[in-house]
Amino acid sequence: MHPLSRNHSPGLRAFSLLLAIGLAFLTVPGCRRKQPGPSAAPVQVTIACPRNISASLAILGIEKSYFSRQGARVVALPFETGKAALERMLAGGADLAVVAETPIAKAILENGQLKVLASIHQSNHDLAIVARKDRGVRSPADLRGKIIGYTKGTSGHYFLDTYCLVNRVALGGIGLVDLSPLQLRSALLDGSVDAVSTWEPHVAVLREALGPQVLVFQEESIYTENFCVVARPEFIRDHPKQVKTILEGLFSALDFITRSPAEAGELVAAYTQVAPSLVSKAFSGHDFDVRLDQALILSIGSECHWFLDSGAVPQRDLPDVLTYFHLEGLLEVRPQAVQIIRDAERGHR
Amino acid sequence: MKIRSSLRITSTLALLMMVGSVVSTALAYRWLRQATELELFLIDLQGDIFERSQLRDEYLLTGRQPSFQRWEEKSAEIGRHLKSLSEVELSPANAILLARMNQKFKTTMELFPRIVALRASLSGGDPAGTPTSRIEQRLVHQVLVDAYLLSDSTKLLLFDVRNHTIDSRNKLLLLLVLSTLIMGLVVTSSAAYVNVLLSRRVSALKDGTTILSQGAFDHRIPASGDDELADLAREVNRMAEELKQSYGRLEAANKELEAFSYSVSHDLRAPLRHLTGFVELLDRLDSRGMDEKARHYLHVISGSAKKMGCLIDDLLSFSRMSRGEMMKQSVDLQQLAHEVIKDIAKGLPPQRTVRWRIGELPVVTGDHAMLRLVLVNLVANAVKYSNNVEAPVIEVNSLSGEKGCFTLYVKDNGAGFDMKYVDKLFGLFQRLHSSEEYEGTGVGLANVRRIIGRHGGKTWAEGELNRGATFYFTLPNEKET
């Protein structure tokens, strides 16, 4: 029989009947899949993000609306430091925070409720000790007996400790002053401190302001700073789709910063309130990437150790840092970005 | 387009595609080979990085100087590898990975010798009171961080290169499949085009020439297009036109000739009748006054006049065979053969017995009178040339085999003939024996050929001297044609 003939076979008639029943079933309102109604309120995602060049991927995710792709309403809370951003998140004032690994280590020791989603930046150039030559500082050894400003509990603090340690400058012989990054800038400029341990873009600002009077101690081999995106465990549990969107948004931001660094620099400059030229200059020493690696676990573990040794937190057993990592999100989005040694039972490498 | 041009274009196209396919496959293969080489290179580098980490741990545990020396050697090897990698063209993302690898390699190269120097120079503490174990611990931590980052970056680069290799392999395969498919498509479609063109043209030519060969000189073969076969069709049409004109001229000349021979034969009869009449009158009235010799002459004149009369009658009969209108109808040759044989047998002397064999003969379409004449001529011939045979056997039968026509024959075991004179057999007034030996005018077989020819059949003969002869003729089988 010709396939187009009207004398259909019994099989074809039965198929047509089933198709008709199926279509009728689908058109009955009760049988349809429940769609979200137009009145459903969009999920609000609050991100505590510091005005820091190291947080560039997160800043671009916010500014380019990469994080809003699933219809979420993203609210960015700018902070002067990542430490402050993390504190806001831990206090329940944000769902996510962008912060360096040093405040994360301290928060872990204090049983803070957080999960690391991904590291977004690594740098060996970001931190420096900026000193005034007119205060007699010519070499690292000259820091002995001087007044040095720093921001307690930040990567700047850890860098200062490491720098002094490897250069055999005992911290006990230094006058340490805990100040915010902006306060550090004005303190060094007005001479109330002899040196400060700070990061970009403050280093660049001070270098420009002090001119020939400035001396910058930077030792790239001794410390690698990591900037991470962390989230509250409840947020991860309740909004897995948003977590995925955030991670995908970070990769979009990485792609954007690689393809259009000038445009990215302008957006970051606007958020961090720094001149675009300084941001562009600072970009060159930065390594932006989205990943979770063994080096980060090692660094957080090592800094936990440092916090315990320095007495900044009460003595306790060293926690298993890996349990503070949310691997599943990144494994879903970009499996090869997870480079962590872990047991096979967890379904990982 | 000419078939030759079409074939040339197809061959050139196929050749170009083949060359293109070979070149692109070679390029893709080169691409794949480079990616594979880079992959193997990175696997080597990964192995070196791993071995260097083992040497680092060996030194940190034992503090033995040879371990550090080997660490330095391995580092130099890694440095050379990284330098070679910087000469490879990488994607922006992979270039970032390579920059990270170089940076981590550089920082490790600064830090680890510092640890070794620290161990060598100090034991217990320094003037500032800082325990060296704390410094070493901090430095080792950073060395480990750098080692992980170097290893991870190499792994990511390897992952990307491996993906690239797989991608290249898939592309190569796809390229091969696609080019084969396209090439096959081009060759098949052009072959199909030529095939269709050729078969259409050739069958038109075959049909056309068949029709022309049947004498329909007005038929023309379709000759649209400008290929070679269209040229050939046009040439055949031109030949058909020429043939038609020649045939027309020939037919006119033939008719004229026939009319002339008819009128000549007809006009000869009257004076011949006068001649015969007066000879008879002379014989009857004045034979007594003639001597023996004169009477003999008179008999010769009378006999010759009679013979001439027979010749003129035969010539007229032959002429009528050519000019007369054919009355086509269904003719049962079986029945006709029986009638003819019966008539001929009646005229035979009683002492002469012929053994007749009549096979199964078909019913054909033709002029009954003419076909009767064919059988009469052939059977009478057979009887005549079997005259000197003691037991003559004459067979009238048919053959099966040739499609579209019936083949019939009349066979005898008489005088036969020499096959070298076979061409003369069916000619007008042609005789292979003397009239004294076998009487006749030599018109019978010419008539047979003329009648069969007018029916669309053909005639031929086979024979052997003193062993008999067989005369064949065909008639169209209207049902099959």
Side-chain angles (χ1 to χ4, degrees), chain B residues 46-183:
Chain B
Q46 208 175 25
D48 287 339
I49 290 169
F50 176 71
E51 283 171 11
R52 191 177 76 147
S53 302
Q54 286 180 313
L55 291 167
R56 175 201 65 206
D57 294 345
E58 197 177 293
Y59 174 79
L60 290 174
L61 280 171
T62 64
R64 287 172 56 216
Q65 203 58 23
S67 303
F68 175 62
Q69 281 168 2
R70 284 175 60 206
W71 181 91
E72 280 185 313
E73 285 163 17
K74 193 50 82 180
S75 295
E77 206 172 316
I78 294 170
R80 280 194 297 275
H81 278 348
L82 288 173
K83 200 176 169 193
S84 304
L85 261 183
S86 64
E87 287 158 14
V88 177
E89 201 177 321
L90 295 170
S91 66
N94 284 343
I96 291 170
L97 280 177
L98 182 62
R100 191 186 299 155
M101 286 161 70
N102 275 314
Q103 203 229 346
K104 297 307 161 194
F105 176 72
K106 188 181 150 207
T107 51
T108 309
M109 290 306 288
E110 281 171 25
L111 274 189
F112 200 64
R114 212 159 152 178
I115 294 168
V116 175
L118 187 71
R119 280 196 174 187
S121 65
L122 293 169
S123 54
D126 73 344
T130 314
T132 52
S133 61
R134 271 192 62 211
I135 303 172
E136 189 183 317
Q137 194 183 29
R138 196 67 63 89
L139 294 179
V140 167
H141 155 77
Q142 188 58 35
V143 165
L144 289 177
V145 165
D146 288 345
Y148 275 132
L149 290 175
L150 175 61
S151 172
D152 288 351
S153 303
T154 312
K155 206 180 290 174
L156 283 173
L157 189 58
L158 180 61
F159 178 83
D160 193 73
V161 168
R162 194 166 282 164
N163 277 349
H164 189 66
T165 312
I166 293 167
D167 194 41
S168 304
R169 203 171 295 151
N170 290 344
K171 276 181 187 162
L172 178 64
L173 194 69
L174 190 71
L175 190 75
L176 281 173
V177 169
L178 274 180
S179 57
T180 310
L181 211 68
I182 292 169
M183 225 155 46

Side-chain angles (χ1 to χ4, degrees), chain A residues 23 65 71 79 111 155 171 183 196 233 304 324:
Chain A
L23 282 170
S65 305
F79 286 89
N111 297 320
S155 53
L171 281 177
Q183 286 171 333
V196 293
C304 282
Y324 288 87

Side-chain angles (χ1 to χ4, degrees), chain A residues 234-279:
Chain A
E234 313 91 78
F235 178 77
I236 295 170
R237 187 194 61 213
D238 297 341
H239 303 289
K241 276 187 186 170
Q242 298 305 330
V243 170
K244 193 181 170 199
T245 307
I246 297 283
L247 289 168
E248 285 170 346
L250 289 170
F251 279 108
S252 301
L254 178 64
D255 188 44
F256 178 67
I257 209 168
T258 312
R259 279 188 296 107
S260 318
E263 199 184 336
E266 280 178 17
L267 289 170
V268 172
Y271 187 90
T272 55
Q273 299 171 350
V274 178
S277 59
L278 289 180
V279 174

Side-chain angles (χ1 to χ4, degrees), chain B residues 273-308:
Chain B
R273 257 198 314 273
H274 286 128
L275 184 70
T276 315
F278 281 109
V279 167
E280 277 176 6
L281 207 60
L282 196 63
D283 186 36
R284 215 179 301 143
L285 293 177
D286 206 15
S287 60
R288 280 164 294 176
M290 288 183 191
D291 61 5
E292 196 59 31
K293 201 169 186 178
R295 271 200 299 277
H296 170 69
Y297 288 157
L298 206 60
H299 277 293
V300 170
I301 292 167
S302 172
S304 294
K306 277 180 188 163
K307 195 175 177 185
M308 192 177 171

Side-chain angles (χ1 to χ4, degrees), chain B residues 450-469:
Chain B
R450 174 60 60 98
I451 292 166
I452 295 299
R454 288 193 72 186
H455 276 82
K458 56 186 180 181
T459 47
W460 71 99
E462 288 170 0
E464 200 178 336
L465 209 56
N466 300 320
R467 300 289 296 270

